[in-house]
Amino acid sequence: MPKVLDGATIAAEIKQDVAEEVKALAARGVKPGLAVVQVGHVPASEIYVRNKVQTSKELGFLSEHITPAETVTTEEMLALIATLNAREDIDGILVQLPLPKQVDAKVLLDAIAPEKDVDGFHPVNAGRLQAGRQALAPCTPAGVIEILKRSGIPISGANAVVVGRSDIVGKPAAMLLLHENATVTICHSKTRDLGAVTRQADILVAAIGRPGFITPDMVKPGATIIDVGINRIDTREEFDKFFKGNDKREAAFAKRGSVLVGDVHPAAFEVSGAYTPVPGGVGLLTIAMLMANTVRAAKIRRGM
Ligand code: NDP
């Protein structure tokens, strides 16, 4: 039976570690500060933002939830970022995406001081990560590494294949795996004979954005699968493709009219040695890693 790598347990461990660091910092008169900026009300962002703000409060951070109006301009947002950049009590600035069309997201994200960029999206942090310097790494890929390490999955010397090359998941995940001494291959939509490559993987990271894309024949028996994908499916046809005969999922589908599936077909997990489920895997790590990044930012900024 493959082992389930439970995101909730690992996220709780990370938050516990963060809470201890916060206590140690408090003894030195430091309170990490996180500002979460949420423009307007995108329903899909609502729950994420609430969780981020709530978790940071629970962990003893100074937590600010800033909510500019839907009509805010890029200039007004830049002024807000400049204020937050200058504030001594704020260590991390997070701008929740997506932003309304009139706001230039790239200009805005680039305006965040790199040392306060707890999402790890700033080009300076991407470059520092690449160069092997101290960097704030993006939360989701950093969570992938935490899952592997805390589950005792050996990374050094392993063949790691990352499917997906986005700037926020695929590329940084590959770079972090490389820093952990994996032999890394990055695949994308132009990769030829993808299955032949993924079958070489001891560690297979799927960050594609296509429901159930990785099928059992693409997985080396016993491999560790990290499924980053989060896809919502809401038709009976799609549901049956992935979960036919699964009573638990059937009940969830009947109740909500939709369920989540990762980028890996559930049947492919059966071939693996260990895997992260969806939901309940990588997704749960992202907020924990955001908290860890904020504490890290607080320490780095003060030379601690
Ligand atoms: P992007 O759409 O930015 O990137 C998708 C990548 O997959 C691209 O590099 C693309 O290749 C590649 N790809 C697409 N189709 C194929 C194919 N047929 N064969 C091989 N490669 C393919 O997505 P993200 O990286 O932002 O997200 C990936 C997934 O992770 C999504 O499901 C997203 O919801 C989820 N996610 C989960 C998070 C979490 O907290 N757990 C956080 C962020 C994302 P190419 O570059 O050639 O187009």
Side-chain angles (χ1 to χ4, degrees), residues 140 164-166 169 188-189 207-210 213 228-231 283 286:
T140 300
R165 57 173 164 179
S166 73
V169 188
H188 45 78
S189 65
I208 311 160
R210 294 189 166 216
F213 183 79
V228 182
I230 301 178
N231 310 288
T286 303

Side-chain angles (χ1 to χ4, degrees), residues 243-265:
F243 300 118
K244 203 177 169 93
N246 181 329
D247 293 343
K248 209 170 137 199
R249 290 299 185 107
E250 189 68 64
F253 189 57
K255 192 169 160 197
R256 295 194 202 97
S258 68
V259 286
L260 294 182
V261 64
D263 289 343
V264 178
H265 195 294

Side-chain angles (χ1 to χ4, degrees), residues 119 121 137-145 168-169 173 176 228 282-283 285-286 289:
D119 250 343
F121 293 164
C139 299
T140 300
V144 168
I145 301 296
I168 60 169
V169 188
L176 290 167
V228 182
V282 177
L285 269 285
T286 303
M289 294 314 295

Side-chain angles (χ1 to χ4, degrees), residues 62-95:
L62 164 76
S63 176
E64 270 190 34
H65 184 190
I66 303 165
T67 53
E70 183 83 42
T71 51
V72 73
T73 62
T74 303
E75 288 64 36
E76 286 164 339
M77 284 294 284
L78 284 171
L80 170 64
I81 297 295
T83 308
L84 294 171
N85 280 344
R87 271 178 57 181
E88 192 46 42
D89 57 344
I90 293 295
D91 298 291
I93 303 168
L94 181 143
V95 177

Side-chain angles (χ1 to χ4, degrees), residues 38-49:
Q38 179 190 19
V39 179
H41 285 284
V42 179
S45 305
E46 209 66 34
I47 187 156
Y48 286 125
V49 170

Side-chain angles (χ1 to χ4, degrees), residues 268-283:
F269 292 142
E270 301 308 317
V271 184
S272 75
Y275 69 95
T276 57
V278 177
V282 177

